[in-house]
Amino acid sequence: DTAVSQTPKYLVTQMGNDKSIKCEQNLGHDTMYWYKQDSKKFLKIMFSYNNKELIINETVPNRFSPKSPDKAHLNLHINSLELGDSAVYFCASSQDRGPYEQFFGPGTRLTVL
Amino acid sequence: KNQVEQSPQSLIILEGKNCTLQCNYTVSPFSNLRWYKQDTGRGPVSLTIMTFSENTKSNGRYTATLDADTKQSSLHITASQLSDSASYICVLPQGGGNKLTFGTGTQLKVEL
């Protein structure tokens, strides 16, 4: 009965590699998000998709590319990984109307060596 | 600039004691204010959502208050338990939409 799920939970990789994180929600929500939580535990929005359409795109390097094959899935692909990409990445989803309560996944801890 | 600041940054209390966490915000226009709890190694979980017309809201032992005039909110935890050890984050949406501004968080530790 998992609401928002992410895979993998842990990802350790070398600099320069390309990796993907997958997210799925079974809440029937129309909007999905990717957040980055840095070492100081500060959460920051990266992207948001509504019904497969990009609606929020913060100042994120273009090495990060979200892809939404359908409204229940939002994957994050990262090219040419850098040390500074090490963080915990959270996926979230919400309904398409106020108060837009967001439900978060368990997070993916990415470590770039 | 839309900002959300929380205090204290960290707090240690004994099990069974009460505590109050503070949140000051400058996000405008105001739509609603949320408190999230984030356990170590997990995603944030919503505790309360308060709109402009609500100045207090409870969820079990958690009670949030809102003063929209002074742009302050507090989260009061009653009879703390070890499982309350977590980070508590104050969150406001920008412009009433779905883009959230997160506070700096308060790291709470409840000890025996």
Side-chain angles (χ1 to χ4, degrees):
Chain A
D1 59 347
T2 304
V4 182
S5 60
Q6 296 177 228
T7 55
K9 185 161 178 62
Y10 299 97
L11 186 53
V12 181
T13 187
Q14 298 286 334
M15 263 188 351
N17 285 350
D18 303 338
K19 290 292 178 185
S20 292
I21 306 172
K22 294 186 176 182
C23 178
E24 176 181 1
Q25 54 96 4
N26 63 6
L27 298 167
H29 289 162
D30 294 314
T31 306
M32 296 185 71
Y33 312 78
W34 276 109
Y35 289 89
K36 180 180 181 181
Q37 188 170 45
D38 59 27
S39 57
K40 295 184 178 180
K41 309 293 185 186
F42 189 70
L43 271 158
K44 193 169 182 184
I45 182 77
M46 298 174 68
F47 302 102
S48 175
Y49 269 73
N50 178 268
N51 275 319
K52 302 193 296 177
E53 183 180 339
L54 182 66
I55 56 172
I56 295 175
N57 185 355
E58 290 299 284
T59 307
V60 177
N62 57 15
R63 297 181 296 103
F64 290 78
S65 54
K67 285 193 171 45
S68 182
D70 55 62
K71 75 173 191 176
H73 296 84
L74 181 62
N75 303 324
L76 183 65
H77 189 76
I78 315 171
N79 290 327
S80 303
L81 278 155
E82 300 177 358
L83 293 176
D85 297 333
S86 296
V88 182
Y89 293 84
F90 286 98
C91 176
S93 71
S94 72
Q95 289 181 319
D96 194 25
R97 59 183 185 275
Y100 305 105
E101 182 176 358
Q102 294 188 18
F103 295 81
F104 287 79
T108 295
R109 180 174 291 278
L110 172 65
T111 303
V112 182
L113 303 175
Chain B
K1 183 179 178 181
N2 291 321
Q3 284 188 314
V4 181
E5 295 187 354
Q6 295 183 239
S7 62
Q9 187 175 357
S10 62
L11 182 63
I12 301 175
I13 61 173
L14 295 176
E15 188 182 27
K17 297 296 185 184
N18 304 335
C19 67
T20 301
L21 315 179
Q22 301 291 342
C23 171
N24 296 327
Y25 63 91
T26 60
V27 175
S28 183
F30 180 88
S31 169
N32 58 72
L33 184 146
R34 310 147 188 230
W35 283 93
Y36 278 85
K37 178 187 179 187
Q38 184 176 16
D39 292 313
T40 300
R42 310 188 92 158
V45 174
S46 179
L47 292 175
T48 63
I49 297 179
M50 285 186 295
T51 60
F52 185 86
S53 60
E54 298 173 301
N55 56 21
T56 186
K57 199 158 192 179
S58 292
N59 178 359
R61 294 177 298 99
Y62 301 102
T63 299
T65 64
L66 172 65
D67 186 335
D69 291 331
T70 61
K71 298 190 176 182
Q72 294 180 325
S73 176
S74 65
L75 181 69
H76 186 73
I77 304 174
T78 305
S80 61
Q81 300 176 358
L82 296 179
S83 59
D84 293 331
S85 295
S87 178
Y88 291 85
I89 310 171
C90 178
V91 184
L92 288 94
Q94 294 180 24
N98 54 12
K99 183 177 174 182
L100 302 180
T101 298
F102 288 80
T104 47
T106 292
Q107 188 67 42
L108 173 67
K109 186 174 182 181
V110 181
E111 296 181 336
L112 290 171

